[in-house]
Amino acid sequence: MDLQTKALHAGYEKDSNRTMAVPIYQTTAYDFGTADFAASSFNLEQGTDHVYTRVGNPTNAILERRFAELEGGSGCLAVASGMAAIFYSILNITESGDNIVVSTQLYGGTVTLFTQTLKRLGIEARFFNVRAAGEIEALIDDKTKCIFFEAISNPSIDVPNFDEIIKIANKHNILTIVDNTVATPMLLQPLLLGADVVAHSASKYTTGQGTAIGGLIVERKELAQKIKDNPRYRDFNAPEPSYNGLVFADSAVSGILFTFRARMILLRDTGAVISPFNAWLLIQGVETLALRIKQHSQNALEMAQWLESQSVVLKVNYPLLESNKNYANASKYLTNGASGLLSFEVKDFETARKILNKVNIFSIVANIGDSKSIITHPASTTHQQLNEKELIACGVPSGLIRISCGLESAKDLIADMRQALDAE
């Protein structure tokens, strides 16, 4: 079944009312019926049966099943935001004293999470250049728990060599976690390339209209085989005190081992739960994602090609430009488009500021993936918490402008950008 068909039908069996639209189960709790069933549910003897909406809800479950199908994975966990998805993905396998190996080319909020919050928890982030995967092995030791990178980096717009990174990770029996927010499963399925876990900010292309905050974690099929009896992942293989000594790797739901533990430990205890209504909004977005991402990608490519011809523009970052350093990787992995995200450089922040203040169709917004086009100056907004050295490492010079091309006419978007650049 094609992805576009799965996006409309996967994960939903019509209920007794035969509703075409997925119902919203706006409920906090569930009637167990008997005391015995309630007790067994809380001891995880009922598997994924719903206990309390903090850890599971029928509407959320449809979103999870559908997105797992789109990514080609097994288990999926929907959470309150993309940052929660990244945080849970890391916290699910780490503890104080551990380290993670991460790309320097990341969204600014992710960098802050890794260098500030995780540092306070005793977890070290060790950075490598995503365009130099050979740096990774020197950073790995027996306390390394994962390699984390973005499928298309935001806002430097780099595309990694998946095969090389995954090969290194498998050599050391370490998980790979990929943020697939920008590419979406319609353009790239990292799990089918051998990555172990993907995380998403579903607030971007998945919802499509900027109406809902949410995050998603999806695990590769048969990931349990890599985790089971792996000394790096003790918490999956040791008795869990809060569930009467249950060993997650030996449980009946080992086919969704990674996301099940994140649900029943992290979501249970820290509660970054997505509301059923937001899950429902994301389901509506998923249904049109295949069509939208195609147009986003086409608009971005046309804009990038036009920007290359403008004298005020020093550099354009879009991986499907033949002049781009990522073109070889993009041609290999992104055969259906490279999303609506691009960036370009002008000489300094003052020039960038004038351009942003002159546009009419583009809105100055700290988001991406909306149906309406967005323009941002990352160094002063999404990445403003980073120092100059960190900004350069992330690929965010002071004159960088990020564009999220929406679904307007490419002709109109280029005309708007032309008048903004001409004013400069």
Side-chain angles (χ1 to χ4, degrees):
M1 190 181 295
D2 288 345
L3 289 178
Q4 187 169 329
T5 305
K6 290 181 178 179
L8 288 158
H9 296 282
Y12 176 49
E13 299 289 338
K14 295 183 180 67
D15 63 13
S16 59
N17 294 313
R18 302 182 302 283
T19 58
M20 286 294 291
V22 172
I24 305 174
Y25 291 91
Q26 197 68 39
T27 183
T28 301
Y30 308 88
D31 183 356
F32 296 109
T34 69
D36 288 344
F37 190 86
S40 64
S41 295
F42 273 83
N43 200 36
L44 304 189
E45 294 172 17
Q46 301 301 328
T48 58
D49 201 76
H50 300 297
V51 174
Y52 192 68
T53 284
R54 188 170 75 246
V55 294
N57 171 280
T59 305
N60 300 6
I62 293 166
L63 171 64
E64 290 165 346
R65 291 194 296 267
R66 187 164 296 183
F67 217 83
E69 283 276 342
L70 294 180
E71 281 287 8
S74 53
C76 177
L77 175 63
V79 292
S81 70
M83 291 309 301
I86 294 171
F87 186 51
Y88 282 0
S89 295
I90 300 299
L91 210 59
N92 204 26
I93 53 175
T94 56
E95 60 183 32
S96 181
D98 289 338
N99 66 77
I100 58 176
V101 175
V102 302
S103 165
T104 53
Q105 292 85 350
L106 296 174
Y107 165 63
T110 307
V111 175
T112 305
L113 168 64
F114 290 169
T115 60
Q116 304 302 319
T117 300
L118 289 185
K119 182 179 179 180
R120 294 182 67 182
L121 297 177
I123 300 164
E124 178 191 3
R126 300 175 175 178
F127 288 90
F128 72 97
N129 188 320
V130 78
R131 297 190 297 275
E135 298 175 359
I136 294 174
E137 289 212 70
L139 302 175
I140 294 173
D141 61 24
D142 60 357
K143 289 291 187 178
T144 303
K145 293 302 176 68
C146 75
I147 301 171
F148 183 98
F149 57 100
E150 293 178 353
I152 300 177
S153 64
N154 171 22
S156 66
I157 325 296
D158 284 299
V159 180
N161 186 322
F162 285 86
D163 295 339
E164 187 176 2
I165 296 173
I166 291 167
K167 182 178 180 180
I168 293 169
N170 289 340
K171 174 182 175 181
H172 295 275
N173 215 13
I174 297 169
L175 299 192
T176 45
I177 302 176
V178 180
D179 183 336
N180 199 31
T181 296
V182 176
T184 82
M186 298 305 180
L187 299 179
L188 182 66
Q189 296 165 294
L191 301 182
L192 300 187
L193 296 175
D196 296 308
V197 177
V198 294
H200 284 263
S201 172
S203 322
K204 310 301 191 288
Y205 288 106
T206 301
T207 178
Q209 285 79 43
T211 55
I213 297 288
L216 295 157
I217 306 167
V218 188
E219 67 184 282
R220 175 176 60 81
K221 293 177 181 178
E222 300 180 351
L223 177 58
Q225 295 178 11
K226 188 173 185 178
I227 294 175
K228 186 174 174 59
D229 298 324
N230 187 331
R232 291 188 186 274
Y233 307 111
R234 182 185 61 188
D235 288 339
F236 286 84
N237 292 288
E240 171 52 49
S242 64
Y243 287 114
N244 300 313
L246 169 76
V247 176
F248 276 96
D250 294 334
S251 67
V253 292
S254 60
I256 52 172
L257 176 61
F258 188 90
T259 49
F260 188 67
R261 185 182 183 278
R263 183 190 305 275
M264 303 315 301
I265 298 292
L266 301 176
L267 196 58
R268 177 198 68 182
D269 291 348
T270 60
V273 59
I274 188 171
S275 74
F277 183 69
N278 274 14
W280 182 83
L281 287 173
L282 296 180
I283 290 169
Q284 310 316 302
V286 166
E287 291 190 354
T288 60
L289 179 56
L291 300 176
R292 288 186 289 104
I293 200 65
K294 183 184 299 184
Q295 190 61 52
H296 284 297
S297 299
Q298 181 60 38
N299 282 356
L301 180 59
E302 291 185 35
M303 175 64 75
Q305 290 170 336
W306 177 82
L307 282 168
E308 276 200 311
S309 68
Q310 304 307 298
S311 60
V312 70
V313 176
L314 304 179
K315 180 183 179 182
V316 181
N317 299 312
Y318 194 69
L320 290 181
L321 292 175
E322 292 187 18
S323 60
N324 189 268
K325 60 185 178 294
N326 295 284
Y327 183 72
N329 284 344
S331 298
K332 180 178 182 179
Y333 300 118
L334 297 170
T335 57
N336 294 315
S339 93
L341 195 66
L342 68 139
S343 60
F344 66 97
E345 292 180 35
V346 293
K347 63 181 180 179
D348 53 27
F349 170 55
E350 183 59 24
T351 304
R353 185 186 67 82
K354 290 178 180 178
I355 293 169
L356 264 67
N357 287 337
K358 190 64 178 175
V359 294
N360 295 313
I361 296 176
F362 289 89
S363 298
I364 304 174
V365 175
N367 192 32
I368 63 171
D370 201 303
S371 58
K372 304 172 187 68
S373 290
I374 290 167
I375 191 167
T376 313
H377 179 251
S380 63
T381 56
T382 58
H383 290 66
Q384 61 82 27
Q385 70 273 34
L386 305 183
N387 61 41
E388 185 175 353
K389 182 179 178 181
E390 290 171 329
L391 285 171
I392 296 301
C394 282
V396 187
S398 62
L400 187 79
I401 295 173
R402 185 187 72 186
I403 288 177
S404 174
C405 280
L407 301 178
E408 302 93 343
S409 160
K411 177 181 176 182
D412 290 336
L413 293 176
I414 290 172
D416 188 32
M417 188 58 63
R418 177 183 290 112
Q419 64 83 26
L421 296 185
D422 288 347
E424 168 51 26

